[in-house]
Amino acid sequence: MSGSLLTRKVTDKDQIQGNLFASIELVEYGDYQCPHCGRAYHIIKQIQEALGDKLKFIFRNFPLTNIHTDAMNAAVAAEAAGKQGKFWEMHDMIYEHQDSLSESYLFSYAQDLGLNVKQFQNDMVSAEILSKMEDDFESGIRSGVNGTPSFFINGEKYSNNWDYEPLLNHLKSL
Amino acid sequence: MLAVGIPAPEFELHSTPDQKLKLSELKGKKVILAFYPADWSPVCGDQMGLYNETLHFFKKHNAELIGISVDSKWCHLAFSQDRKFHFPLLADFEPKGEVARLYDVYDAKEGETQRALYVIDEEGIIRWTYLSPVGMNPGADGILNALEELDNVKQN
């Protein structure tokens, strides 16, 4: 519902980019196959550039698996890359190639990023990563995520326009 | 909307082109009635798409989700197949909006149902209601909180 709060606080289990001690915390619940999230990806990049170390950005998985058949696999691939320290590299790679997310593409991205591909394949089916997927999804549902992308700023759901200018102005006003 | 604490009015509507569903057939389970304006919402993860992903959370509480709009059974079938829904969509089509009127969530001006949620308990009593602003997808958190509360009350 509107006015919802982030029910699961950001912890070191999360994928965090930027200054850990930043005063502004932006959490996105996203789906790698959702075109709106693809648009948001580029906007967040610009926001990060504008705000520098005032911002930390957290990405949580919210794949809508029935309508986006590759979304879960892509999300798992990013987390698996994270096991080798390259979550954000894979995250970016996927959003830069949103129309090519079948398994063979994901493996080729892993190769391009210099990952140990065998390890990557094993991690993609690990119980740990699958349970992280469920935790992320459930925390989103409980926090009132109603579609993707959904944003939370300093723990509160942000339901306004997330185009570059309005989002940046809002973040600067905090 | 109807008041919490009263029995949910009985109805029977088409759930597929050749099947009908009666509310009373679901006694013994909790029921989430999700009235929504129209099939084919263009947004990623629209309300029904979201609920489709959260069915297993509802099932943990012995709850069945039912979507209701004034779209016809054939329209529902196409929508449901396209979005791979795993729950029934009921066609409140003829007389148009009759069940929505019965539940006090019909928008006569638009000729659609409002965006409204009812949670009904195992005995068929209305336990929680929520009317959403029509352009706003209410998410699933309110439903899950209501289901959880019902289960907690029962345990105590």
Side-chain angles (χ1 to χ4, degrees):
Chain A
M1 295 193 271
S2 54
S4 302
L5 300 177
L6 191 64
T7 54
R8 199 185 86 201
K9 294 219 175 338
V10 172
T11 70
D12 59 3
K13 290 206 180 83
D14 279 301
Q15 302 294 354
I16 306 175
Q17 197 171 38
N19 174 10
L20 291 180
F21 303 101
S23 57
I24 306 170
E25 177 192 274
L26 175 64
V27 175
E28 176 184 350
Y29 282 88
D31 170 320
Y32 284 106
Q33 211 181 337
C34 157
H36 303 286
C37 299
R39 200 163 69 77
Y41 162 76
H42 294 286
I43 291 171
I44 298 296
K45 285 268 180 235
Q46 288 176 278
I47 296 272
Q48 286 178 306
E49 202 155 303
L51 292 179
D53 63 6
K54 291 195 192 103
L55 176 75
K56 70 176 151 174
F57 175 59
I58 292 93
F59 184 88
R60 288 181 176 171
N61 299 292
F62 203 82
L64 297 172
T65 56
N66 284 283
I67 50 168
H68 297 148
T69 48
D70 293 328
M72 176 60 99
N73 243 355
V76 167
E79 294 289 342
K83 298 292 280 177
Q84 298 183 47
K86 294 212 165 157
F87 172 82
W88 292 103
E89 288 82 348
M90 185 60 94
H91 172 94
D92 291 2
M93 185 72 106
I94 291 170
Y95 274 127
E96 302 283 350
H97 301 88
Q98 260 196 310
D99 50 357
S100 309
L101 300 182
S102 65
E103 205 155 71
S104 54
Y105 279 114
L106 295 174
F107 291 149
S108 76
Y109 301 152
Q111 212 150 25
D112 293 347
L113 293 175
L115 300 181
N116 175 336
V117 177
K118 193 154 178 14
Q119 184 60 43
F120 174 77
Q121 285 175 314
N122 287 339
D123 286 333
M124 275 190 70
V125 293
S126 75
E128 184 194 335
I129 286 179
L130 292 180
S131 104
K132 177 159 199 299
M133 290 295 138
E134 283 179 20
D135 288 352
D136 277 5
F137 193 87
E138 185 164 8
S139 76
I141 283 290
R142 300 310 300 239
S143 305
V145 169
N146 53 5
T148 54
S150 279
F151 294 103
F152 291 81
I153 297 171
N154 292 346
E156 264 179 68
K157 190 154 195 286
Y158 175 76
S159 304
N160 297 330
N161 186 337
W162 46 262
D163 277 325
Y164 177 67
E165 292 267 332
L167 179 57
L168 183 65
N169 289 338
H170 177 77
L171 291 171
K172 277 185 170 169
S173 74
L174 294 175
Chain B
M1 295 188 73
L2 300 181
V4 166
I6 66 165
E10 172 72 321
F11 59 78
E12 183 175 31
L13 291 173
H14 273 282
S15 57
T16 70
D18 53 11
Q19 276 179 312
K20 286 188 158 190
L21 182 78
K22 255 192 203 161
L23 180 63
S24 55
E25 287 166 19
L26 295 169
K27 270 214 171 133
K29 287 183 170 183
K30 298 187 192 76
V31 177
I32 303 151
L33 291 184
F35 289 92
Y36 65 101
D39 289 349
W40 305 107
S41 155
V43 184
C44 263
D46 61 63
Q47 190 186 4
M48 294 304 123
L50 179 75
Y51 294 168
N52 200 30
E53 305 287 339
T54 51
L55 289 178
H56 64 285
F57 296 111
F58 299 151
K59 293 237 154 82
K60 277 189 206 163
H61 295 284
N62 189 32
E64 293 288 328
L65 173 74
I66 292 171
I68 305 181
S69 78
V70 295
D71 296 283
S72 79
K73 56 195 180 183
W74 296 103
C75 183
H76 275 338
L77 180 67
F79 183 48
S80 197
Q81 282 177 348
D82 185 71
R83 303 292 163 91
K84 304 195 188 95
F85 288 157
H86 304 290
F87 60 92
L89 298 178
L90 301 187
D92 195 11
F93 183 70
E94 181 59 38
K96 189 181 176 194
E98 189 183 40
V99 173
R101 287 173 208 271
L102 194 60
Y103 279 80
D104 194 26
V105 291
Y106 191 66
D107 178 348
K109 201 168 147 220
E110 293 293 327
E112 294 175 343
T113 74
Q114 294 179 291
R115 206 178 283 284
L117 299 166
Y118 280 93
V119 170
I120 299 166
D121 73 11
E122 291 86 342
E123 280 78 48
I125 307 294
I126 295 172
R127 290 298 178 191
W128 182 80
T129 69
Y130 182 75
L131 180 64
S132 187
V134 80
M136 181 85 83
N137 173 349
D141 51 323
I143 297 172
L144 284 169
N145 291 343
L147 293 173
E148 216 165 69
E149 209 162 297
L150 280 178
D151 283 350
N152 287 343
V153 168
K154 216 182 306 167
Q155 276 166 14
N156 294 333

